[in-house]
Amino acid sequence: MDFFEQQDQAHRQSRKLLILFALAVIAILIAVNVSLALIWKWGFAMRTPGHPGYPTGFFFINTAVTLLFIVGGTMFETFRLRDGGDAVAQMAGGRLVMPDSTDAKERRLLNIVEEMALASGIACPRVYILDREDAINAFAAGYHQNEAVVAVTQGSLTRLTRDELQGVIGHEFSHILNGDMRMNIKLIGVLFGIQMIAGFGQELMYWASRFGSSRDREEKGPPIQLVIVVFGAALFVIGYVGIFFGRLIKSAVSRQREFLADASAVQFTRNPETIGGALRKIGGLTMVNQCGSRINNPRAEQMSHMFLGAAKVNLMDGMFATHPPLKERLQRVYGHNVEFLDASEIVDPADLAAMPEGVYGFGARNVEAAQRARAVEKSSDLNAEFGQHAIPTANTIPFSMPKTSAATAVPQSTPVHGIDSVILTAARDSATADALVFALLSDRSEPQAYAIQQNLVARLGAEKAALTENLLNYLEGMQASPRLPILDLAMPALKQLSSESKAQLLSIASKLIAADQKMSQSEFVLQTVLERRLGPQAGRMVKVKFNAVTALKSEVQLLLSLVARSHSDDEQAGIAFQRAAATLPELAFQSRDLLEPSSLDFFVVRQALEKLNQLAPLAKPFLIKAVLAAATRPQQARMDAEMLDLVRGICAAVDAPVPDVVGMSGNF
C-alpha cells in the first residue's frame, strides 16, 4: 500500500477513465444518429414527394449538437465544482464544522481528523457533516490534498464508536493520500455531461406534451408533436445508455480503490475492528432499512463512487456496482466471515467523555491511554511516532509536554502531553490562527529584529499584537519539538480566511522572516509550507514533467546538501551526504558534490523544490529515501526537532505524506 505506487495507479486510472469516456461518447453518437435517421424517415420523408435523402450535413449536425451537450455539460459541471472539495460537500448537503466547535460529537470527529492529519503529515482537511443523512457513510473530496475536505453523515456520528469513526476517517484519508479525489471529481463532471442527453430528451417530451400541433387533413405522416415526443423519448432512452456507461466507468475505477482504502484504514489504525466495525454496522443497518449507507440527496447517484458505502441501491448492482459487496469487504478485513452488528444510535457514549486537550496521534483514542501517557518521561516522547500511520502505544505520544517559562508571567495551563490547550484554541479559530503563525515566526533572541517584528504585527491592531506575544510565550515554553504539526492543525482555520487575508498573511510572514536580514532553516520550512498550502496555487495539481530523479540532478544535489549541512559539523555533513548518495547510485554523486553552506540560498532551494514537485509519483520515493538517509544517523534512533521539521517541510513541498522515519531509519 505504498503511497507513491497508488498515486501512479491513480494516474493510470485517469487515463482509463478518458478511454472509457471516449467509448461512451462514441456509443451515444452512434445511437443518436441511428435514432434520428429512423425518425427522419418516419416523420419527415413521408411528407415530401419522392422521399428524398437526408438533408445536407444531417449527420454532421447531429454529431456536433450531441457533442456540444456532452462536452458542454461536462465543462459546465467541472466549472461549477471549481472550488473542489468544498463545492462537492455543499452539493451533498454538507455543513462546515467550525474548527473551534465545542459540540461533543463534532469535537470528537475533529480530533480524529486532526490526529490522522498529524500522523500522515498532510494539512488538516476541513470537515463537513451531512446533517440530513441518518445512514452510515462518508467521503473525501478535493482536487489536491492541500484543499481536501472530509464529510461524514449524521448517522456516522450517532451510530459509531470513536474507534469505528476513526476507521472511517482512515478509509477516507487513504483516498486523499492515494490520489483518488481528483479522479472522483472528474467523474462527477463526466457523468453529468453524459447524462445531459437524457435531460434534454425529457425536456423535449415535456415541451411537446404542453403544446399541441395543428395540421391539414391532406398532410401526410405523423403530426409534428408526435415526432417531437418520439424524438425526446429516443434521446431519453439514449441518455440511459449514458447512465449505463457511467455506472460501468464508476465500477471500473472505484471498486479496487475501496479494497485499498479498507486495507489502509487497518494499516493506519492497526486494528481491523475500526473500519470492520463500521462496515458491520452498515450491514446491520441495511437489514433494518435496506441500505445502511443510503444517501437521500438528489445528487447521490452522481456522487455514488465517492462514498464509503453504496449510496444507492440499483438494479445494475453486481458487476456494475460502485462498491464491492459488504461481505467481501469484511472477509478481506478480518480474513474470515463475520456477522453484521446492531447499528442503533449510541446515547451518551463513554468515548465522548472529556479528553485532556492536546493528546494527539491516536494516543488520544481513550482516556485510559491518555492517563497512562502522563507517566512517560518527556525526553522519550519527542518524536517516537513521527510519521507513523498507526496508533501509538500508550507510552508514545508525538509531542512533548509544554511548560511555561518562569521569565514569562503567563499562567501555566493544565500540564498534558501534547500541544498546550492555549495553542490548540488559537489554532482552531480563524480569528486567532494568523496570530499563531506570527508567533511561530517571531524570535526574541535578537531584540532589534524582534522590535521590527512587533511593529509589523502591531499594524494589524494592538489586540493582535498582544495575542501574538502571549502565544509566543507559550511556544517558548514548549520543549524543543516540531512546530510544523501546529501549523498543520491551524490549516482549517487559516483556509477560512478570504483570499485577501491569506495574501496579507503571507506578506506579513515574509516580512517577519526578513526582519533580521537573514532566513533560518526553520523560517524557510514554515514559509515553504505556508505558501504551498495557502498560496494562489495551493489547490492545484502539479503537472508531471520529469519521470526520474536523473532529470533533476542539480536540484537533488542542492536538496541533499541542505539536509546534510543541517547536521552539527562538517564531518557529519559529509557522511550524511555520502549516505544519501548511496541511495541514488544513478546520479553518481561524489563527496566533492556536497555544496558549501554559502551555496545553499533558500530562494534557490525553493525553486529546486518546485521542480522536484514535478517528478512522477514513482520517482518521488527515491528522492524521499535519499532525504531520509541524509537526515538520519545509523547510531541515532531519533532526529532532533529542527531536522524533523525540515523533513516534514520537504515532504509538504513535494506533496508527499511524511514517511515512517522510525521504521525506515534502520535501513540507513
Side-chain angles (χ1 to χ4, degrees), residues 168-463:
V168 168
I169 299 303
H171 177 104
E172 298 310 325
F173 261 74
S174 171
H175 289 307
I176 296 174
L177 296 173
N178 292 330
D180 298 337
M181 298 185 305
R182 184 177 179 85
M183 180 177 62
N184 286 339
I185 293 184
K186 284 181 179 178
L187 265 174
I188 294 177
V190 165
L191 296 174
F192 184 85
I194 289 177
Q195 294 169 20
M196 279 283 289
I197 301 297
F200 180 61
Q202 195 170 14
E203 287 297 320
L204 281 179
M205 288 190 291
Y206 173 77
W207 180 82
S209 65
R210 291 282 305 273
F211 300 96
S213 64
S214 60
R215 67 171 188 165
D216 298 332
R217 292 185 178 183
E218 297 181 358
E219 186 177 345
K220 299 179 180 180
I224 293 295
Q225 182 186 16
L226 180 59
V227 173
I228 294 175
V229 169
V230 172
F231 178 40
L235 291 182
F236 185 74
V237 172
I238 291 169
Y240 273 86
V241 172
I243 293 175
F244 169 85
F245 272 98
R247 297 284 294 184
L248 178 63
I249 291 170
K250 287 193 289 186
S251 65
V253 300
S254 66
R255 293 184 67 174
Q256 291 302 314
R257 313 299 289 183
E258 293 304 316
F259 283 132
L260 171 69
D262 289 344
S264 296
V266 176
Q267 182 190 27
F268 290 157
T269 62
R270 289 187 182 172
N271 182 4
E273 290 294 341
T274 55
I275 186 61
L279 294 175
R280 293 171 72 185
K281 284 189 174 179
I282 289 177
L285 192 58
T286 299
M287 297 174 67
V288 176
N289 65 6
Q290 301 305 309
C291 187
S293 53
R294 177 191 289 127
I295 299 298
N296 295 317
N297 188 282
R299 306 293 292 274
E301 168 60 34
Q302 196 177 346
M303 302 172 58
S304 59
H305 58 287
M306 303 184 69
F307 283 94
L308 166 74
K312 288 288 185 182
V313 176
N314 265 284
L315 296 177
M316 290 193 296
D317 278 344
M319 68 174 294
F320 296 107
T322 55
H323 292 71
L326 269 179
K327 287 188 176 294
E328 187 178 354
R329 294 174 72 177
L330 288 168
Q331 170 70 28
R332 294 202 183 195
V333 169
Y334 287 98
H336 56 83
N337 293 325
V338 293
E339 299 296 324
F340 293 148
L341 296 176
D342 175 65
S344 301
E345 291 191 3
I346 304 173
V347 181
D348 298 326
D351 57 28
L352 286 183
M355 289 289 295
E357 279 285 13
V359 182
Y360 278 93
F362 302 129
R365 60 195 298 261
N366 57 63
V367 177
E368 181 183 0
Q371 291 171 340
R372 289 198 303 268
R374 293 193 181 97
V376 184
E377 291 184 349
K378 293 183 286 294
S379 61
S380 67
D381 65 10
L382 172 61
N383 57 10
E385 294 294 322
F386 169 69
Q388 293 268 41
H389 293 170
I391 301 175
T393 57
N395 63 347
T396 55
I397 304 295
F399 298 99
S400 54
M401 180 172 66
K403 296 169 61 179
T404 304
S405 171
T408 58
V410 178
Q412 184 174 337
S413 61
T414 304
V416 295
H417 285 264
I419 304 173
D420 193 282
S421 59
V422 174
I423 301 298
L424 285 176
T425 301
R428 292 168 176 164
D429 190 340
S430 59
T432 57
D434 58 344
L436 180 58
V437 173
F438 301 150
L440 285 168
L441 292 170
S442 297
D443 182 9
R444 287 195 178 105
S445 63
E446 296 188 25
Q448 186 174 358
Y450 180 63
I452 296 174
Q453 291 176 328
Q454 283 183 305
N455 289 333
L456 286 169
V457 179
R459 295 176 185 175
L460 300 177
E463 185 177 350

Side-chain angles (χ1 to χ4, degrees), residues 110-119 162 166 359-362 364:
L110 289 169
N111 285 343
I112 292 172
V113 173
E114 288 173 350
E115 292 162 13
M116 187 65 75
L118 289 177
R162 191 185 202 279
Q166 188 179 75
V359 182
Y360 278 93
F362 302 129

Side-chain angles (χ1 to χ4, degrees), residues 491-521:
M491 278 300 151
L494 292 172
K495 288 176 181 177
Q496 292 183 47
L497 299 174
S498 65
S499 299
E500 294 76 12
S501 297
K502 289 178 185 176
Q504 182 186 56
L505 171 65
L506 293 174
S507 174
I508 294 175
S510 297
K511 293 175 182 177
L512 290 173
I513 291 171
D516 59 359
Q517 302 299 309
K518 60 185 178 181
M519 179 182 286
S520 68
Q521 180 176 292

Side-chain angles (χ1 to χ4, degrees), residues 147-163:
E147 55 94 41
V149 306
V150 172
V152 302
T153 59
Q154 181 66 29
S156 298
L157 292 185
T158 58
R159 299 179 188 276
L160 300 180
T161 65
R162 191 185 202 279
D163 282 357

